[in-house]
Amino acid sequence: MVRKLRIAVGSDEAGRQYREALRADLNASNLVSSVTDVGVHGDGPGAYPEIATAAARLVAAGEVDRALLVCHTGLGVAIAANKVLGVRAACAHDEVSVRASVLSNNAQVLCLGQGIIGLAVARRLTAEWLTCRFDPDCSAAAKVARISALEQGHS
């Protein structure tokens, strides 16, 4: 049996519509145990760097297993989330990239672009993402360990 995931979701105003729809999908999924929404909330525009790093910090602290972030392209939230030590965020807009982000790179954060893909595609990619689990005994594990060593300042 696959362990249920704790997921953080976040977006700026440019990704709010998808975040809300995907949050509802995640809450309804039998592969998810909890969803933590880090924003954007209220009337403020919400800056994507703060929202992305808030979600990434939850991942790094072990409070959630993964995060799903949405902005206009997915690129800004990916760049910001990757600044948090121990977090690997990937922008993906197709099934191959979604699977590889987890299976080959152990990325804990999926970043999507509301201005790049349709909502049906975003839903399909999110559903696929939930089924993927990194195998620490796979051939990619040594490469992921090298990435982690680089992040720690060991070249």
Side-chain angles (χ1 to χ4, degrees):
M1 179 172 190
V2 175
R3 184 176 66 85
K4 291 185 176 190
L5 298 169
R6 300 165 299 159
I7 308 287
V9 296
S11 74
D12 61 1
E13 191 58 40
R16 183 193 292 255
Q17 177 190 356
Y18 281 23
R19 187 196 83 242
E20 291 177 0
L22 296 170
R23 181 186 62 216
D25 293 351
L26 291 168
N27 278 317
S29 173
N30 63 355
L31 296 174
V32 176
S33 65
S34 65
V35 178
T36 302
D37 191 335
V38 298
V40 66
H41 300 292
D43 296 328
Y48 71 82
E50 285 79 17
I51 291 165
T53 55
R57 285 185 185 115
L58 291 174
V59 172
E63 295 178 36
V64 298
D65 303 301
R66 293 189 185 170
L68 176 65
L69 299 171
V70 186
C71 67
H72 181 70
T73 63
L75 298 171
V77 289
I79 291 167
N82 276 313
K83 299 302 180 193
V84 176
L85 190 66
V87 171
R88 287 170 303 283
C91 187
H93 295 118
D94 61 76
E95 289 88 348
V96 173
S97 298
V98 167
R99 285 190 299 273
S101 74
V102 176
L103 301 177
S104 297
N105 298 289
N106 197 16
Q108 313 101 315
V109 181
L110 175 62
C111 303
L112 301 174
Q114 181 171 315
I116 304 298
I117 59 174
L119 181 56
V121 172
R123 286 182 149 146
R124 188 173 68 244
L125 297 179
T126 301
E128 177 72 22
W129 177 65
L130 291 175
T131 68
C132 297
R133 300 293 189 277
F134 182 73
D135 178 359
D137 296 322
C138 72
S139 62
K143 295 171 190 157
V144 172
R146 290 181 73 178
I147 292 169
S148 294
L150 288 169
E151 184 177 50
Q152 298 295 325
H154 309 287
S155 52

